[in-house]
Amino acid sequence: KLIVIDLIWSESSPDDAQLAQAIANQGKVVLARAWDITGAPLLPVPELESVAIATGHVRTPIDTDGLVRRVDLEFQGQPALGVAAVQAYSLVFDNVSLPPTDQPFWINWVGSAQQLQQYSFADVVQGRVPIQAFRQKIVLIGVTATGLDSLVTPFDRNPPASSVYLHANVIQNLLQKNDLHPLPVSWIWIILLMGGPGLSWVMTGWNTRQQLIGVIGVCAGWSMVSLIMLRNNFLLPVAFPITLVSVTAGAITLSERLRENHLLQQQIAQLWQQYHQDLIAYTVDPTHPQPSLTHPQSQGGFLGVAQLAELAEQFARSQSTQATIAQSLSIGLL
């Protein structure tokens, strides 16, 4: 049905006339164009471009992690190679409606590049591949050798695929209308502005076990929702909401611990000021000096525990002394 050539033929060759005649005889060939690092256009030689049914750019935006997730359907007034192929398909065969070209096109990778039927170009030109294999097909021609025009996809990292597989996915997504639809930025801001405060309001007052179960449940639930939506061609953020939930839960836990520690220090200081003067004095072992407890509010957490232990010990000694007095009261009265 259609031949899409993912090769830049910007330099003339003695074979151009013969190749141009073959392209004209076939009548439905799409050629590639690009730009070099200086921004200069790399166009097919005029003899080939004049007989092609369409041309499309092969510019591939790569994210910071090396993956390709979207393409520009139109760049500097030129359609992408996959778009040009679908436009040519619509012109000759069935009409296919295209999405707006001024928005990024998010690729729905269908799987590994190895799942795509591939033939060696040498085998094809030497007649070792039956021509029936190409009937009613859109055929893409490109470089698939490892290390040349490599492309990292979610399914092909090591070894990577080639860019011809990218254009095959774009064509498939456009024909099947199953490209990914990411969550609008406005919804992300709503999640940020309402999800964090709402989660903190719900989790405030929960114990540590309840908070841990809640965080795990929310993260697992969002992951399942994201997977279900991905099956229906909707792309939801995963790392951002999970990070938001984790940071919110951590902030709640930290704030509650700081608040509990502050209240505990206040309570210890109050008990110390109220009762330590009324307790029975005891002998301090000079070989194990104890820290000064004159200003308990300025002491750390370990000293607060030491104060509680000292109060408990002195209360115990007081109780023991009072019990001894009570038991000896009859003798004293006698």
Side-chain angles (χ1 to χ4, degrees):
K1 286 189 173 182
L2 196 70
I3 296 178
V4 182
I5 301 179
D6 182 24
L7 298 170
I8 307 298
W9 285 333
S10 58
E11 297 180 0
S12 59
S13 167
D15 300 323
D16 288 346
Q18 185 179 359
L19 179 59
Q21 184 61 43
I23 293 176
N25 293 338
Q26 207 279 337
K28 299 180 287 294
V29 177
V30 181
L31 299 181
R33 59 189 300 165
W35 295 266
D36 61 14
I37 58 176
T38 64
L42 299 175
L43 306 177
V45 294
E47 192 171 6
L48 300 179
E49 186 177 11
S50 62
V51 294
I53 190 173
T55 60
H57 75 80
V58 291
R59 180 177 178 270
T60 305
I62 301 177
D63 291 343
T64 55
D65 57 356
L67 289 177
V68 177
R69 295 182 174 87
R70 56 190 182 272
V71 296
D72 297 323
L73 296 183
E74 186 175 311
F75 184 76
Q76 295 187 5
Q78 297 297 325
L81 185 62
V83 176
V86 174
Q87 289 175 342
Y89 180 88
S90 300
L91 183 64
V92 179
F93 301 101
D94 301 328
N95 185 30
V96 179
S97 60
L98 296 176
T101 57
D102 58 344
Q103 298 179 2
F105 184 80
W106 289 77
I107 304 171
N108 187 3
W109 297 99
V110 297
S112 173
Q114 302 302 322
Q115 299 177 5
L116 194 66
Q117 181 63 59
Q118 302 181 38
Y119 298 100
S120 168
F121 185 77
D123 292 341
V124 174
V125 297
Q126 293 175 10
R128 290 195 290 266
V129 178
I131 196 164
Q132 288 78 13
F134 303 108
R135 293 193 185 277
Q136 304 300 315
K137 301 291 185 181
I138 296 178
V139 180
L140 290 93
I141 301 175
V143 179
T144 58
T146 303
L148 295 177
D149 199 17
S150 59
L151 174 77
V152 179
T153 74
F155 298 95
D156 301 277
R157 291 179 176 266
N158 189 20
S162 61
S163 68
V164 67
Y165 182 58
L166 167 67
H167 308 305
N169 272 271
V170 172
I171 294 174
Q172 192 268 354
N173 290 170
L174 290 174
L175 292 178
Q176 300 294 330
K177 295 181 174 57
N178 61 350
D179 56 297
L180 296 180
H181 303 281
L183 194 68
V185 178
S186 58
W187 280 96
I188 296 179
W189 280 106
I190 291 176
I191 293 175
L192 176 63
L193 297 177
M194 299 184 61
L199 184 64
S200 63
W201 179 77
V202 171
M203 295 181 63
T204 300
W206 289 6
N207 56 41
T208 304
R209 183 171 177 268
Q210 291 175 330
Q211 291 177 354
L212 182 61
I213 294 176
V215 169
I216 295 176
V218 171
C219 294
W222 183 263
S223 300
M224 291 299 298
V225 170
S226 301
L227 182 60
I228 294 173
M229 297 299 291
L230 183 61
R231 295 288 184 179
N232 292 275
N233 304 327
F234 288 94
L235 186 62
L236 299 183
V238 179
F240 164 68
I242 291 179
T243 302
L244 176 64
V245 171
S246 302
V247 171
T248 302
I252 293 173
T253 302
L254 179 61
S255 63
E256 288 184 351
R257 294 297 177 272
L258 293 176
R259 179 171 173 272
E260 291 175 359
N261 182 70
H262 177 68
L263 294 177
L264 181 61
Q265 292 293 334
Q266 287 185 335
Q267 190 67 27
I268 291 174
Q270 181 180 357
L271 290 173
W272 182 261
Q273 294 294 336
Q274 185 173 356
Y275 293 110
H276 87 283
Q277 298 292 341
D278 300 331
L279 298 177
I280 299 176
Y282 65 96
T283 303
V284 178
D285 187 355
T287 60
H288 297 83
Q290 297 185 3
S292 175
L293 305 178
T294 306
H295 303 286
Q297 292 182 348
S298 64
Q299 307 300 326
F302 289 105
L303 191 53
V305 175
Q307 287 178 313
L308 286 178
E310 183 176 342
L311 286 172
E313 182 181 359
Q314 294 193 37
F315 273 126
R317 292 186 180 185
S318 299
Q319 185 179 8
S320 176
T321 303
Q322 293 171 4
T324 302
I325 294 174
Q327 292 174 1
S328 304
L329 182 61
S330 57
I331 300 176
L333 290 175
L334 181 60

